[in-house]
Amino acid sequence: MRQLRVGSALSREGDPTTAGREAAQEAVRHLQGETPGLVLVFASIRYDLPALLAGIREVTGDAPLVGATSSGQLSDGEFLAPGEGVALMVLGGEPYQFRTHVVRGLHEDANQCGRELARAVLPSPGERAPHGAVMLLADSLAGDLPGLLAGIHHVAGAAVPVVGGAAGADRSLDVTYVFHGDEVLNDGAVGVWIGSPRPLRVVYGHGWQSDGLPLLVTKVDGTAVHEIGGRPALDVYFEHFRSEDPLISHEGATAGYHSAHAFGLIEPDGSQLVRGAFIDGDGLLRTFSPLPPYCAVQIMSAGPEELLAVSDTVVNDALDGADDASVILTFSCVARMDLLADRSAEEAELLHRAAAPVSTFGFYTYGEFARTTSVSGYHNATITALAL
């Protein structure tokens, strides 16, 4: 199978048009004259985003473009902190097929948006490559992202994995955006069908460890967790803390996420989906994504060493069966960055070191997508990845 040509670039330039143009010129240079099949853009929300995309499209023309605002980016071992700039990658065409589509109205009906997105982005059976995956980028503040994934799964089926991330906003929680062509939109999602001659494998890893036996969530209201095992949820939660463990409340748009504890939502295959947890201003225990009533969970904990140790595993899993890969697309959570604190840049370095000479490229999200045949697929504080 022919190896995919890729090129990437970062820019910290302040002017959006210049930043977009210069990053695109540097990335396209690596394609050695091949027409881009797909352009990926992950950018700080500080930019005038239409102007940024205009600068990029001066270089890439009408090539399909998708992307999202972020809370930091990574590219070949280099780390851009929240607010610092834009990361851009161009992918050649062969040996993959790329088809893109955008949907709006996640707040109104995320599940229906997922179904619409899957129907539009998947080629007809006669045109479809033998294997494929969907890359998904979504407005993270637009509601039911697990429902969006479920809608895609309903149409695409278990044989089509989904990978991607929910848009960030340099740690603020005001608004997030996704990009499609020259469009900048919120309350929407962008999907990319990636058709492939070989199976594509979506992987994930988090490094969180369970701190006790499974527990039953007996009372929830949206993201507020009131009772676990019929007892006050906070009492049960604190019982799993060691005295030196940090618990910092989520106190507004720029506070970040610092709790070293989370919930592990137990899946049918025994794996755990991490659900970040925090204490709100009213003293309620909350999660960033709702837990289903009467679900089984475990209290999880993680420190910097555990979070960083998963880098090798994610890369090795992504490259398993993909000896011809050119890039590992990665989607890591801003919660991981906050927990790593002054060691944040190490994750990008470790991922690239494990993958070399394969490129690594991605962004820091407000939630990660990794839908496989065995899990429902919406994660927090996790790295998800796909090798192409």
Side-chain angles (χ1 to χ4, degrees):
M1 181 171 112
R2 176 186 161 180
Q3 193 170 36
L4 177 71
R5 285 201 178 101
V6 302
S8 63
L10 305 174
S11 177
R12 294 179 173 86
E13 168 66 43
D15 178 75
T17 305
T18 303
R21 183 190 306 115
E22 290 182 351
Q25 287 171 340
E26 173 63 19
V28 166
R29 183 176 63 82
H30 294 281
L31 292 191
Q32 300 177 352
E34 184 174 335
T35 301
L38 183 70
V39 182
L40 300 177
V41 181
F42 302 127
S44 167
I45 202 167
R46 71 178 171 88
Y47 283 119
D48 177 334
L49 297 170
L52 177 73
L53 298 184
I56 293 168
R57 286 166 67 83
E58 284 181 20
V59 179
T60 62
D62 293 331
L65 181 152
V66 301
T69 51
S70 69
S71 281
Q73 303 94 33
L74 57 92
S75 179
D76 287 344
E78 189 170 356
F79 169 69
L80 262 66
E84 282 197 356
V86 57
L88 183 147
M89 173 165 274
V90 289
L91 309 179
E94 294 182 6
Y96 298 100
Q97 293 177 340
F98 300 114
R99 285 169 54 101
T100 70
H101 189 71
V102 61
V103 292
R104 299 167 178 81
L106 296 188
H107 270 116
E108 184 176 346
D109 192 337
N111 186 276
Q112 181 57 38
C113 283
R115 295 181 187 218
E116 176 189 337
L117 187 63
R119 291 189 186 104
V121 80
L122 266 66
S124 63
E127 301 173 338
R128 193 180 304 179
H131 306 282
V134 171
M135 182 170 65
L136 177 64
L137 306 170
D139 175 2
S140 61
L141 306 179
D144 182 15
L145 296 186
L148 175 68
L149 266 179
I152 294 172
H153 185 71
H154 180 88
V155 173
V160 178
V162 181
V163 71
D170 297 337
R171 288 197 178 97
S172 79
L173 296 175
D174 295 330
V175 62
T176 65
Y177 296 97
V178 294
F179 315 141
H180 185 252
D182 57 5
E183 292 184 275
V184 176
L185 65 150
N186 61 2
D187 196 25
V190 175
V192 181
W193 162 254
I194 305 171
S196 170
R198 64 164 173 84
L200 295 179
R201 186 165 180 237
V202 168
V203 303
Y204 67 95
H206 50 68
W208 292 76
Q209 305 296 318
S210 58
D211 285 339
L213 297 173
L215 304 164
L216 190 68
V217 176
T218 48
K219 185 178 179 181
V220 293
D221 180 11
T223 60
V225 185
H226 294 287
E227 290 183 2
I228 299 175
R231 299 173 54 211
L234 272 178
D235 291 350
V236 178
Y237 196 57
F238 283 129
E239 287 172 359
H240 291 78
F241 280 42
R242 299 180 296 273
S243 60
E244 70 273 15
D245 285 340
L247 175 69
I248 301 179
S249 299
H250 190 79
E251 296 174 344
T254 60
Y257 168 72
H258 305 275
S259 177
H261 285 76
F263 287 107
L265 177 60
I266 300 173
E267 290 287 279
D269 66 349
S271 63
Q272 294 136 329
L273 297 180
V274 179
R275 291 287 179 262
F278 62 96
I279 312 299
D280 71 10
D282 297 322
L284 288 175
L285 178 60
R286 290 189 177 273
T287 52
F288 288 98
S289 182
L291 293 172
Y294 299 102
C295 65
V297 298
Q298 289 178 282
I299 308 299
M300 312 281 283
S301 65
E305 294 300 332
E306 291 85 2
L307 295 173
L308 292 171
V310 78
S311 301
D312 281 356
T313 302
V314 168
V315 168
N316 291 336
D317 287 350
L319 292 177
D320 185 21
D323 296 337
D324 55 355
S326 298
V327 62
I328 300 177
L329 301 177
T330 60
F331 307 88
S332 186
C333 189
V334 68
R336 299 176 62 84
M337 182 194 304
D338 286 336
L339 287 166
L340 290 169
D342 58 0
R343 300 181 64 182
S344 296
E346 290 185 38
E347 184 168 86
E349 294 169 1
L350 289 171
L351 288 168
H352 184 58
R353 190 183 307 159
V358 176
S359 289
T360 51
F361 183 80
F363 78 105
Y364 285 87
T365 76
Y366 284 0
E368 302 77 57
F369 302 121
R371 175 90 205 208
T372 69
T373 57
S374 59
V375 297
S376 55
Y378 181 63
H379 303 256
N380 301 140
T382 296
I383 304 176
T384 67
L386 172 68
L388 296 177

